Amino acid sequence: MPGQHDATLPDSALRILHVRCPADVDPQVYRLLLGLVAEVTPVVQALPPSALVADVSGSLRYFGRDPSDLARMIRTRALAR
């Protein structure tokens, strides 16, 4: 049914992205990834040495995408850079 979410996940979980890099990621590349995600949402928390979480709640309407589309967009931009 349109407008309904999976009842097994809290609504807020649908808007949080967890991004992981390889454990041996270069620190400079990690900082670049943080900056790239910050271009999508200002609510980014680094989880050094190789992960981060980002709240994309405010970005959904701005970009006109759902969280999984934003995740794909971030991945595509990261690979392009």
Side-chain angles (χ1 to χ4, degrees):
M1 183 174 248
Q4 285 188 323
H5 296 290
D6 185 346
T8 60
L9 292 174
D11 193 37
S12 62
L14 299 174
R15 298 185 212 122
I16 303 295
L17 301 182
H18 181 253
V19 180
R20 291 179 290 141
C21 300
D24 60 347
V25 67
D26 181 290
Q28 184 175 355
V29 172
Y30 180 66
R31 284 191 298 278
L32 289 172
L33 181 63
L34 286 170
L36 181 120
V37 174
E39 292 174 6
V40 175
T41 178
V43 188
V44 180
Q45 181 178 353
L47 300 173
S50 62
L52 63 94
V53 291
D55 181 350
V56 295
S57 302
S59 303
L60 301 176
R61 179 179 281 175
Y62 181 80
F63 285 98
R65 298 171 185 241
D66 65 21
S68 61
D69 286 340
L70 286 175
R72 281 190 288 277
M73 183 179 80
I74 291 168
R75 179 182 170 98
T76 301
R77 289 181 179 186
L79 291 171
R81 291 185 186 178

